[in-house]
Amino acid sequence: MFKIQANKSGTRNIEITEEHLLTIERHQLMMGLVGSNGYVDETVLEKLKMNIRALLETDSESDKSLLDLCLDVIYHPNMKAFGLQKLVTLYTDWQKDRPQTTDAE
């Protein structure tokens, strides 16, 4: 279980589970999300919401882990651009720290 800070003062947090991070990875939700300047603002958060909405609409079978990610993190009342920046950082660090597996394993 991880926690990300949702505001600058640190009074609001959002809990992130390993399953949330795996769902982000499985659906490649961070790929191409943040522009070349690395700046995360409310438009980037809206872009992520629209991408997820499109995935849910086109998927004939409801993906429970994607719905959980939406309810627990992306559409969390405290999720703003600051929180998304922290989520992107957490996801990047999590990917670096994970042991890489190969197809042979």
Side-chain angles (χ1 to χ4, degrees), residues 36-87:
S36 60
N37 62 3
Y39 186 70
V40 175
D41 59 9
E42 293 299 321
T43 59
V44 176
L45 179 58
E46 286 304 312
K47 180 180 175 182
L48 176 61
K49 288 179 179 181
M50 294 301 250
N51 289 344
I52 291 174
R53 219 174 280 155
L55 282 172
L56 289 170
E57 288 175 359
T58 59
D59 192 8
S60 60
E61 295 180 16
S62 163
D63 183 353
K64 184 181 176 339
S65 62
L66 187 58
L67 290 172
D68 288 343
L69 176 68
C70 287
L71 294 173
D72 298 341
V73 180
I74 305 304
Y75 287 94
H76 190 283
N78 295 330
M79 178 56 83
K80 305 287 187 239
F82 186 86
L84 181 57
Q85 177 64 53
K86 295 295 183 180
L87 179 61

Side-chain angles (χ1 to χ4, degrees), residues 1-49:
M1 178 81 63
F2 306 94
K3 278 190 176 182
I4 58 169
Q5 186 177 333
N7 63 1
K8 290 182 182 181
S9 64
T11 58
R12 302 193 187 266
N13 295 299
I14 300 173
E15 292 184 352
I16 311 295
T17 65
E18 186 88 15
E19 183 63 33
H20 292 141
L21 296 171
L22 289 169
T23 301
I24 292 169
E25 181 179 58
R26 183 171 45 256
H27 293 285
Q28 300 179 353
L29 296 176
M30 296 300 172
M31 184 180 293
L33 183 65
V34 181
S36 60
N37 62 3
Y39 186 70
V40 175
D41 59 9
E42 293 299 321
T43 59
V44 176
L45 179 58
E46 286 304 312
K47 180 180 175 182
L48 176 61
K49 288 179 179 181

